[in-house]
């Protein structure tokens, strides 16, 4: 019984985190895809809230399970913008290349550095 109430408490805390922070990345410090997404946001001048699952001890895997339940995605990075799940690294980079990432961010009044497309 306690584990399910614990799970729903974690779920509430995830929902609270993603609703209170415009950009949230659930990440792992060693994950190259996570690094890529974090550096993408750094390049466009946006400071996301980064939660490193591998630094949370036993709560990390539990949080990852909650994220999977909420989003259907088990892998990191798990990216949220404006409380909406936008996906992982590939999804985020794709949005960026289509110019939609900056649109999502500017809808939240988050200014981004304009990047020259390569």
């Amino acid at each position: 019984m306690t584990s399910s109430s614990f799970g729903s408490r974690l779920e509430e805390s995830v929902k609270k985190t993603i609703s209170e922070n415009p950009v949230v990345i659930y990440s792992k410090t060693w994950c190259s895809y996570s690094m890529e997404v974090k550096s993408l946001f750094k390049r466009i001048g946006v400071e996301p809230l980064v939660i490193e699952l591998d630094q949370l001890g036993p709560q990390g895997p539990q949080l990852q399970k909650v994220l999977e339940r909420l989003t259907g995605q088990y892998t990191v990075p798990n990216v949220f913008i404006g409380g909406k799940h936008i996906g992982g690294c590939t999804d985020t980079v794709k949005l960026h290349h289509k110019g939609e990432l900056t649109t999502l961010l500017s809808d939240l009044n988050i200014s981004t550095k304009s990047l020259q497309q390569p």
Side-chain angles (χ1 to χ4, degrees):
M1 189 67 192
T2 49
S3 71
S4 70
S5 67
F6 178 71
S8 61
R9 273 212 314 278
L10 259 187
E11 195 168 306
E12 286 314 304
S13 92
V14 167
K15 287 177 177 166
K16 191 168 154 39
T17 301
I18 60 182
S19 69
E20 290 176 355
N21 298 277
V23 183
V24 181
I25 302 173
Y26 288 90
S27 166
K28 291 187 179 173
T29 52
W30 48 263
C31 168
S32 61
Y33 294 111
S34 294
M35 288 173 209
E36 189 177 334
V37 164
K38 287 183 283 192
S39 79
L40 169 62
F41 280 104
K42 187 175 262 135
R43 286 203 310 278
I44 62 174
V46 173
E47 194 64 58
L49 172 68
V50 177
I51 297 164
E52 302 288 4
L53 295 175
D54 58 328
Q55 294 184 332
L56 297 179
Q59 203 182 4
Q62 291 161 340
L63 212 51
Q64 198 163 0
K65 283 199 187 92
V66 167
L67 286 166
E68 182 182 23
R69 222 178 26 243
L70 291 173
T71 66
Q73 175 188 322
Y74 186 70
T75 53
V76 292
N78 207 327
V79 183
F80 295 84
I81 295 178
K84 286 198 288 283
H85 179 244
I86 64 162
C89 179
T90 311
D91 304 301
T92 308
V93 170
K94 212 178 277 176
L95 279 176
H96 175 61
H97 286 307
K98 290 197 291 197
E100 291 170 19
L101 188 59
T102 45
T103 308
L104 275 175
L105 293 165
S106 64
D107 287 350
L108 300 169
N109 297 318
I110 299 172
S111 58
T112 54
K113 291 181 195 160
S114 60
L115 289 179
Q116 303 306 309
Q117 287 295 340

